[in-house]
Amino acid sequence: LVNWTSLGFQIVADFEDGQEVLEYLKDNEVDVILTDIKMTFVSGLDLARYVNEQKLSTKVVLISGYKDFEYARQAVNYNVVQYLLKPISLKDINRVFTEIRKEIDRERELQKRQEDHQKKFNELISFMRDQFFTDLVLGALKNRHEMNKRLDMLDLNLDTENSPCCLWTATIDRYEEFINENWQYGKDAFCKTIANIFCTAKSELKYQFINRREGKFKILIIGTPNMSKTDFINKIESDIEYARDNAEKLLGIKLASFHADFYENLYALAINTPKRVKGEPDYINYKDLSEDIEEHLLDQQKLLMTH
């Protein structure tokens, strides 16, 4: 009797008792249930209570006789959206379901906006986390209070006082040749791939990529709280060896270690007090002095933008 399509709905199932509805709802999502309040085994109120307890988005419309109306009012606690009193007119059906359709459309639009906002928020948080580590490495976060405040704001569970860290520089052999001849997904995707290669190690260490010049990466490596320097260095060497093997097997590229500075903790990194590994030279063996100057200027530019 009802032209459901014109109201924006489609009947997906109909049953003679609420018990069958309960079974159906276990595996199927529906927008609306239109049900008699009284049925043989499971009543309309039972259905409304189930929908409410399971926190389903399904809306329930109860059909009741006049003498059952007070009984039906109990369903207000179960978020029943509408009551239809017998005898039911098509006009009432059209009115009620037109309102419900508008409400569903509003809810879905709101949900879509919330999902869009959440996506943008997640992207922003990811960007701000990357910026936090960049600021840390460039010396823009030397105040302990400010550092801890940003850690809390970005939900970064890091121990700034007791976790050793290392700033490691890696180079990609024959980078330009590989990018131009063997890689077709863009340089950003390549950087993410290199980062993922480290993540596959399932290491207890945290690796944060501070991407610099093409073919050269600065990577901040953070240990677990109170990890000894020996354990930290051994773990780094093991992870880097694992990453080198994967890079060669998966991409056919060679990942070369270039230089490493070790720090007692993140705060020591922020104020730039490196402690070198015993036996490590006190100079950086840059291939070309112009490369050193260019990198230094890039650092200064980022630092200026941060401030």
Side-chain angles (χ1 to χ4, degrees):
L1 296 176
V2 179
N3 187 349
W4 293 107
T5 304
S6 68
L7 295 173
F9 291 94
Q10 177 187 2
I11 296 179
V12 292
D14 61 274
F15 304 100
E16 294 184 2
D17 189 82
Q19 182 61 51
E20 298 169 275
V21 181
L22 292 180
E23 294 298 322
Y24 184 83
L25 290 177
K26 290 179 182 178
D27 301 312
N28 299 276
E29 292 184 9
V30 297
D31 295 308
V32 188
I33 297 173
L34 173 62
T35 175
D36 244 321
I37 194 169
K38 285 187 176 180
M39 289 178 286
T40 306
F41 298 106
V42 174
S43 72
L45 279 181
D46 293 330
L47 288 178
R49 181 169 59 247
Y50 175 84
V51 167
N52 185 61
E53 290 175 349
Q54 298 298 315
K55 295 181 171 55
L56 304 181
S57 60
T58 304
K59 302 184 184 305
V60 178
V61 179
L62 288 178
I63 301 171
S64 68
Y66 180 76
K67 63 180 180 180
D68 300 322
F69 185 66
E70 288 302 318
Y71 176 55
R73 287 170 66 88
Q74 299 174 31
V76 70
N77 295 325
Y78 306 142
N79 295 321
V80 170
V81 295
Q82 288 285 356
Y83 307 95
L84 289 170
L85 286 175
K86 298 175 183 177
I88 303 170
S89 69
L90 290 179
K91 182 179 178 181
D92 288 338
I93 289 282
N94 288 334
R95 175 183 55 79
V96 166
F97 278 85
T98 297
E99 292 174 2
I100 291 175
R101 176 57 193 262
K102 289 179 181 178
E103 185 177 352
I104 291 174
D105 288 344
R106 284 194 298 268
E107 290 173 354
R108 288 182 177 172
E109 179 61 30
L110 177 60
Q111 182 180 3
K112 184 178 182 302
R113 287 204 302 268
Q114 289 174 338
E115 289 172 353
D116 289 343
H117 289 160
Q118 186 64 45
K119 181 181 177 182
K120 291 176 182 177
F121 175 78
N122 291 339
E123 291 174 352
L124 179 61
I125 286 293
S126 177
F127 170 79
M128 291 180 68
R129 285 174 177 169
D130 289 343
Q131 186 64 42
F132 168 81
F133 287 109
T134 300
D135 292 350
L136 197 67
V137 168
L138 295 182
L141 279 176
K142 295 183 178 181
N143 182 286
R144 290 177 187 265
H145 174 72
E146 180 63 25
M147 187 189 300
N148 290 326
K149 185 173 78 172
R150 286 180 62 177
L151 282 169
D152 289 340
M153 180 180 71
L154 298 172
D155 198 23
L156 287 169
N157 185 24
L158 296 175
D159 188 331
T160 59
E161 302 291 338
N162 301 301
S163 296
C165 59
C166 165
L167 197 57
W168 181 60
T169 307
T171 57
I172 308 294
D173 286 350
R174 304 171 70 182
Y175 170 80
E176 288 294 340
E177 180 182 333
F178 175 80
I179 289 293
N180 294 330
E181 298 179 9
N182 303 99
W183 187 259
Q184 55 183 342
Y185 308 106
K187 293 179 179 179
D188 287 343
F190 178 75
C191 293
K192 290 178 181 178
T193 301
I194 295 296
N196 287 337
I197 284 175
F198 274 88
C199 292
T200 56
K202 296 182 179 178
S203 173
E204 58 186 305
L205 306 180
K206 176 177 177 56
Y207 286 82
Q208 178 66 35
F209 278 66
I210 318 264
N211 190 29
R212 296 297 194 81
R213 304 178 68 251
E214 295 179 352
K216 186 165 112 178
F217 299 87
K218 274 197 182 293
I219 305 171
L220 176 61
I221 309 171
I222 305 172
T224 57
N226 301 313
M227 176 181 273
S228 71
K229 182 181 288 186
T230 301
D231 288 343
F232 183 47
I233 293 173
N234 289 339
K235 187 62 182 170
I236 289 175
E237 290 176 346
S238 174
D239 286 356
I240 289 175
E241 191 61 35
Y242 183 86
R244 278 179 179 152
D245 290 343
N246 272 342
E248 193 155 4
K249 289 176 184 176
L250 298 174
L251 301 174
I253 60 174
K254 289 187 177 180
L255 199 61
S257 182
F258 195 57
H259 175 73
D261 280 327
F262 287 82
Y263 303 81
E264 288 185 350
N265 52 45
L266 286 170
Y267 184 70
L269 166 68
I271 60 176
N272 197 23
T273 55
K275 287 196 172 183
R276 297 188 179 280
V277 179
K278 187 177 181 181
E280 186 184 8
D282 291 331
Y283 61 88
I284 300 176
N285 185 22
Y286 285 100
K287 295 179 182 178
D288 189 342
L289 182 60
S290 64
E291 186 175 308
D292 184 13
I293 294 172
E294 183 178 349
E295 183 170 334
H296 174 73
L297 290 176
L298 286 173
D299 282 351
Q300 294 303 306
Q301 181 187 25
K302 289 180 181 177
L303 191 58
L304 176 61
M305 294 303 292
T306 294
H307 283 303

